[in-house]
Amino acid sequence: ITMIKPQHLNEWDKVIALTLPWWGPGSFPHKYEAWKKQLEEVFNVNVVEWEQTLKDRNWVYDHPELRAKDLMGALKDPSIKAIISSIGGEESIRLLPYIDFDVITNNPKIFMGYSDSTITHFMFRKAWVVSFFWPAIMAGFGENWWMFPYMIDSVKKTIFSNETIWELVPNKEWWTSEHLDWSKPENQHINRTLI
């Protein structure tokens, strides 16, 4: 069986933010909103949330069946062109009993995420749909002040285009792993130290 490639994104497409592994948006709504706005402005897409995206920590943890329902609903909705995990985290493996793999196969869409989203990538792989192990909204797309040019360019080449990427050029600019406390809204206006 050949892997199914989802359609590329176009400007003004609707992209959905799903909280599948961790309750980041509900815990740090000011960070989520800032980074959602940044994603919309840089890539000219319309980011929306599904029912569980902004729920609090206990609700998200206690309801894997509803998080799975969000994923299935986003796949079935023809107005949604891509699904981006809000962040990585933990325990999305608990969604597995509620997943209909035929829904993924019959509704191929871009799925992006990293870390614990690996479980969702395995779901897409089992359903023969290509997915993208890449940025999440709150980490990767979410950066203080601005996104890194290397990431913007690579996202545009990969999910906004049908062209084959023949060469992956390494990032020769800078990187950072500095953490600024997300619970302090004023930290959103501080650039992380780049190396």
Side-chain angles (χ1 to χ4, degrees):
I1 298 176
T2 304
M3 294 293 288
I4 303 165
K5 295 180 180 178
Q7 292 292 315
H8 68 83
L9 278 181
N10 295 302
E11 287 191 343
W12 315 120
D13 275 347
K14 186 188 291 185
V15 173
I16 192 158
L18 290 186
T19 297
L20 301 174
W22 185 65
W23 40 85
S27 298
F28 304 101
H30 60 281
K31 292 296 276 184
Y32 171 78
E33 287 299 328
W35 290 343
K36 169 187 168 181
K37 183 173 185 276
Q38 188 165 266
L39 174 59
E40 289 179 322
E41 290 177 352
V42 170
F43 294 101
N44 293 322
V45 293
N46 178 24
V47 181
V48 297
E49 295 80 31
W50 216 252
E51 293 180 34
Q52 315 316 313
T53 304
L54 302 174
K55 297 283 188 183
D56 69 46
R57 173 183 190 143
N58 292 331
W59 178 269
V60 170
Y61 181 82
D62 290 341
H63 294 285
E65 77 285 358
L66 296 180
R67 287 180 280 145
K69 182 181 174 187
D70 279 2
L71 177 59
M72 298 293 98
L75 287 163
K76 291 177 188 176
D77 187 330
S79 72
I80 296 169
K81 304 304 180 185
I83 300 165
I84 303 178
S85 182
S86 60
I87 197 164
E90 58 193 17
E91 63 82 34
S92 63
I93 196 166
R94 294 172 58 228
L95 277 64
L96 279 172
Y98 311 104
I99 297 299
D100 183 339
F101 291 94
D102 288 337
V103 170
I104 302 173
T105 303
N106 295 327
N107 301 277
K109 293 184 181 178
I110 291 168
F111 172 75
M112 296 178 70
Y114 79 106
S115 186
D116 190 58
S117 296
T118 301
I119 299 298
T120 310
H121 289 291
F122 285 149
M123 294 174 195
F124 275 64
R125 176 64 182 87
K126 181 175 173 59
W128 297 99
V129 176
V130 171
S131 61
F132 300 87
F133 190 90
W134 230 5
I137 290 179
M138 294 182 72
F141 286 117
E143 186 53 56
N144 290 17
W145 282 106
W146 51 282
M147 292 183 202
F148 300 140
Y150 177 85
M151 197 201 78
I152 294 171
D153 182 60
S154 59
V155 167
K156 285 183 177 178
K157 285 179 179 176
T158 306
I159 66 169
F160 283 88
S161 171
N162 278 337
E163 295 181 22
T164 301
I165 300 173
W166 293 103
E167 181 182 8
L168 295 177
V169 180
N171 178 12
K172 295 182 179 179
E173 295 172 332
W174 8 251
W175 64 279
T176 182
S177 60
E178 180 184 18
H179 175 72
L180 298 174
D181 188 349
W182 287 5
S183 66
K184 298 178 179 177
E186 62 272 17
N187 283 349
Q188 178 63 27
H189 304 291
I190 299 173
N191 282 331
R192 296 194 295 163
T193 302
L194 300 177
I195 299 172

PDB file of all heavy atoms in Angstrom, residues 148-164:
ATOM      1  N   PHE A 148      11.591  31.724  14.108  1.00  0.00           N
ATOM      2  CA  PHE A 148      12.891  31.639  13.453  1.00  0.00           C
ATOM      3  C   PHE A 148      12.719  31.506  11.938  1.00  0.00           C
ATOM      4  O   PHE A 148      11.920  30.706  11.460  1.00  0.00           O
ATOM      5  CB  PHE A 148      13.685  30.450  13.990  1.00  0.00           C
ATOM      6  CG  PHE A 148      13.955  30.527  15.468  1.00  0.00           C
ATOM      7  CD1 PHE A 148      13.865  29.397  16.256  1.00  0.00           C
ATOM      8  CD2 PHE A 148      14.302  31.728  16.062  1.00  0.00           C
ATOM      9  CE1 PHE A 148      14.120  29.457  17.625  1.00  0.00           C
ATOM     10  CE2 PHE A 148      14.560  31.798  17.424  1.00  0.00           C
ATOM     11  CZ  PHE A 148      14.469  30.659  18.206  1.00  0.00           C
ATOM     12  N   PRO A 149      13.480  32.284  11.150  1.00  0.00           N
ATOM     13  CA  PRO A 149      13.357  32.239   9.683  1.00  0.00           C
ATOM     14  C   PRO A 149      13.543  30.846   9.099  1.00  0.00           C
ATOM     15  O   PRO A 149      12.853  30.467   8.145  1.00  0.00           O
ATOM     16  CB  PRO A 149      14.463  33.188   9.212  1.00  0.00           C
ATOM     17  CG  PRO A 149      14.665  34.130  10.353  1.00  0.00           C
ATOM     18  CD  PRO A 149      14.416  33.321  11.599  1.00  0.00           C
ATOM     19  N   TYR A 150      14.443  30.057   9.662  1.00  0.00           N
ATOM     20  CA  TYR A 150      14.676  28.702   9.156  1.00  0.00           C
ATOM     21  C   TYR A 150      13.397  27.871   9.241  1.00  0.00           C
ATOM     22  O   TYR A 150      13.050  27.132   8.316  1.00  0.00           O
ATOM     23  CB  TYR A 150      15.796  28.035   9.957  1.00  0.00           C
ATOM     24  CG  TYR A 150      16.074  26.605   9.558  1.00  0.00           C
ATOM     25  CD1 TYR A 150      16.928  26.313   8.504  1.00  0.00           C
ATOM     26  CD2 TYR A 150      15.490  25.544  10.236  1.00  0.00           C
ATOM     27  CE1 TYR A 150      17.192  25.008   8.124  1.00  0.00           C
ATOM     28  CE2 TYR A 150      15.743  24.233   9.865  1.00  0.00           C
ATOM     29  CZ  TYR A 150      16.590  23.972   8.810  1.00  0.00           C
ATOM     30  OH  TYR A 150      16.837  22.679   8.442  1.00  0.00           O
ATOM     31  N   MET A 151      12.678  28.002  10.347  1.00  0.00           N
ATOM     32  CA  MET A 151      11.452  27.236  10.513  1.00  0.00           C
ATOM     33  C   MET A 151      10.362  27.729   9.578  1.00  0.00           C
ATOM     34  O   MET A 151       9.652  26.935   8.959  1.00  0.00           O
ATOM     35  CB  MET A 151      10.967  27.291  11.960  1.00  0.00           C
ATOM     36  CG  MET A 151       9.954  26.200  12.250  1.00  0.00           C
ATOM     37  SD  MET A 151       8.916  26.548  13.666  1.00  0.00           S
ATOM     38  CE  MET A 151       7.776  27.710  12.971  1.00  0.00           C
ATOM     39  N   ILE A 152      10.225  29.040   9.433  1.00  0.00           N
ATOM     40  CA  ILE A 152       9.212  29.597   8.529  1.00  0.00           C
ATOM     41  C   ILE A 152       9.438  29.077   7.118  1.00  0.00           C
ATOM     42  O   ILE A 152       8.518  28.600   6.444  1.00  0.00           O
ATOM     43  CB  ILE A 152       9.248  31.139   8.548  1.00  0.00           C
ATOM     44  CG1 ILE A 152       8.814  31.664   9.921  1.00  0.00           C
ATOM     45  CG2 ILE A 152       8.360  31.718   7.446  1.00  0.00           C
ATOM     46  CD1 ILE A 152       9.024  33.156  10.110  1.00  0.00           C
ATOM     47  N   ASP A 153      10.673  29.143   6.658  1.00  0.00           N
ATOM     48  CA  ASP A 153      10.998  28.704   5.304  1.00  0.00           C
ATOM     49  C   ASP A 153      10.716  27.220   5.113  1.00  0.00           C
ATOM     50  O   ASP A 153      10.127  26.809   4.112  1.00  0.00           O
ATOM     51  CB  ASP A 153      12.473  29.005   5.014  1.00  0.00           C
ATOM     52  CG  ASP A 153      12.875  28.619   3.610  1.00  0.00           C
ATOM     53  OD1 ASP A 153      12.277  29.160   2.657  1.00  0.00           O
ATOM     54  OD2 ASP A 153      13.761  27.759   3.459  1.00  0.00           O
ATOM     55  N   SER A 154      11.097  26.396   6.082  1.00  0.00           N
ATOM     56  CA  SER A 154      10.906  24.954   5.928  1.00  0.00           C
ATOM     57  C   SER A 154       9.423  24.570   5.978  1.00  0.00           C
ATOM     58  O   SER A 154       8.986  23.678   5.253  1.00  0.00           O
ATOM     59  CB  SER A 154      11.712  24.184   6.975  1.00  0.00           C
ATOM     60  OG  SER A 154      11.347  24.549   8.276  1.00  0.00           O
ATOM     61  N   VAL A 155       8.628  25.243   6.799  1.00  0.00           N
ATOM     62  CA  VAL A 155       7.190  24.978   6.839  1.00  0.00           C
ATOM     63  C   VAL A 155       6.555  25.358   5.505  1.00  0.00           C
ATOM     64  O   VAL A 155       5.748  24.601   4.950  1.00  0.00           O
ATOM     65  CB  VAL A 155       6.520  25.732   8.008  1.00  0.00           C
ATOM     66  CG1 VAL A 155       5.003  25.727   7.871  1.00  0.00           C
ATOM     67  CG2 VAL A 155       6.927  25.122   9.341  1.00  0.00           C
ATOM     68  N   LYS A 156       6.930  26.506   4.964  1.00  0.00           N
ATOM     69  CA  LYS A 156       6.359  26.928   3.681  1.00  0.00           C
ATOM     70  C   LYS A 156       6.706  25.943   2.565  1.00  0.00           C
ATOM     71  O   LYS A 156       5.868  25.611   1.729  1.00  0.00           O
ATOM     72  CB  LYS A 156       6.840  28.338   3.323  1.00  0.00           C
ATOM     73  CG  LYS A 156       6.151  29.409   4.157  1.00  0.00           C
ATOM     74  CD  LYS A 156       6.582  30.803   3.756  1.00  0.00           C
ATOM     75  CE  LYS A 156       5.815  31.855   4.555  1.00  0.00           C
ATOM     76  NZ  LYS A 156       6.227  33.221   4.241  1.00  0.00           N
ATOM     77  N   LYS A 157       7.935  25.447   2.552  1.00  0.00           N
ATOM     78  CA  LYS A 157       8.353  24.508   1.506  1.00  0.00           C
ATOM     79  C   LYS A 157       7.672  23.150   1.644  1.00  0.00           C
ATOM     80  O   LYS A 157       7.446  22.472   0.656  1.00  0.00           O
ATOM     81  CB  LYS A 157       9.867  24.308   1.556  1.00  0.00           C
ATOM     82  CG  LYS A 157      10.655  25.473   1.012  1.00  0.00           C
ATOM     83  CD  LYS A 157      12.147  25.194   1.114  1.00  0.00           C
ATOM     84  CE  LYS A 157      12.962  26.348   0.552  1.00  0.00           C
ATOM     85  NZ  LYS A 157      14.408  26.127   0.746  1.00  0.00           N
ATOM     86  N   THR A 158       7.360  22.781   2.869  1.00  0.00           N
ATOM     87  CA  THR A 158       6.856  21.435   3.112  1.00  0.00           C
ATOM     88  C   THR A 158       5.341  21.330   3.062  1.00  0.00           C
ATOM     89  O   THR A 158       4.807  20.446   2.392  1.00  0.00           O
ATOM     90  CB  THR A 158       7.355  20.921   4.483  1.00  0.00           C
ATOM     91  OG1 THR A 158       8.771  21.029   4.510  1.00  0.00           O
ATOM     92  CG2 THR A 158       6.961  19.478   4.691  1.00  0.00           C
ATOM     93  N   ILE A 159       4.616  22.193   3.752  1.00  0.00           N
ATOM     94  CA  ILE A 159       3.167  21.999   3.798  1.00  0.00           C
ATOM     95  C   ILE A 159       2.365  23.031   3.002  1.00  0.00           C
ATOM     96  O   ILE A 159       1.157  22.916   2.899  1.00  0.00           O
ATOM     97  CB  ILE A 159       2.644  21.922   5.244  1.00  0.00           C
ATOM     98  CG1 ILE A 159       2.822  23.234   5.986  1.00  0.00           C
ATOM     99  CG2 ILE A 159       3.291  20.775   5.991  1.00  0.00           C
ATOM    100  CD1 ILE A 159       2.093  23.273   7.312  1.00  0.00           C
ATOM    101  N   PHE A 160       3.036  24.019   2.417  1.00  0.00           N
ATOM    102  CA  PHE A 160       2.343  24.980   1.557  1.00  0.00           C
ATOM    103  C   PHE A 160       2.721  24.775   0.095  1.00  0.00           C
ATOM    104  O   PHE A 160       2.509  25.659  -0.729  1.00  0.00           O
ATOM    105  CB  PHE A 160       2.670  26.413   1.983  1.00  0.00           C
ATOM    106  CG  PHE A 160       1.935  26.860   3.222  1.00  0.00           C
ATOM    107  CD1 PHE A 160       2.465  26.622   4.477  1.00  0.00           C
ATOM    108  CD2 PHE A 160       0.711  27.502   3.131  1.00  0.00           C
ATOM    109  CE1 PHE A 160       1.801  27.022   5.623  1.00  0.00           C
ATOM    110  CE2 PHE A 160       0.039  27.908   4.271  1.00  0.00           C
ATOM    111  CZ  PHE A 160       0.577  27.658   5.519  1.00  0.00           C
ATOM    112  N   SER A 161       3.288  23.638  -0.227  1.00  0.00           N
ATOM    113  CA  SER A 161       3.758  23.399  -1.587  1.00  0.00           C
ATOM    114  C   SER A 161       3.641  21.920  -1.924  1.00  0.00           C
ATOM    115  O   SER A 161       3.719  21.057  -1.047  1.00  0.00           O
ATOM    116  CB  SER A 161       5.221  23.837  -1.707  1.00  0.00           C
ATOM    117  OG  SER A 161       5.762  23.444  -2.938  1.00  0.00           O
ATOM    118  N   ASN A 162       3.455  21.633  -3.218  1.00  0.00           N
ATOM    119  CA  ASN A 162       3.462  20.253  -3.705  1.00  0.00           C
ATOM    120  C   ASN A 162       4.828  19.851  -4.237  1.00  0.00           C
ATOM    121  O   ASN A 162       5.027  18.719  -4.655  1.00  0.00           O
ATOM    122  CB  ASN A 162       2.436  20.076  -4.829  1.00  0.00           C
ATOM    123  CG  ASN A 162       1.043  19.854  -4.280  1.00  0.00           C
ATOM    124  OD1 ASN A 162       0.861  19.427  -3.149  1.00  0.00           O
ATOM    125  ND2 ASN A 162       0.050  20.155  -5.093  1.00  0.00           N
ATOM    126  N   GLU A 163       5.760  20.792  -4.256  1.00  0.00           N
ATOM    127  CA  GLU A 163       7.065  20.494  -4.825  1.00  0.00           C
ATOM    128  C   GLU A 163       7.849  19.528  -3.946  1.00  0.00           C
ATOM    129  O   GLU A 163       7.741  19.536  -2.727  1.00  0.00           O
ATOM    130  CB  GLU A 163       7.865  21.792  -5.006  1.00  0.00           C
ATOM    131  CG  GLU A 163       7.252  22.733  -6.028  1.00  0.00           C
ATOM    132  CD  GLU A 163       8.076  23.985  -6.213  1.00  0.00           C
ATOM    133  OE1 GLU A 163       9.282  23.963  -5.904  1.00  0.00           O
ATOM    134  OE2 GLU A 163       7.504  24.994  -6.664  1.00  0.00           O
ATOM    135  N   THR A 164       8.662  18.713  -4.593  1.00  0.00           N
ATOM    136  CA  THR A 164       9.534  17.796  -3.869  1.00  0.00           C
ATOM    137  C   THR A 164      10.697  18.573  -3.281  1.00  0.00           C
ATOM    138  O   THR A 164      11.297  19.410  -3.947  1.00  0.00           O
ATOM    139  CB  THR A 164      10.074  16.713  -4.817  1.00  0.00           C
ATOM    140  OG1 THR A 164       8.962  16.007  -5.376  1.00  0.00           O
ATOM    141  CG2 THR A 164      10.977  15.741  -4.082  1.00  0.00           C
TER     142      THR A 164
END
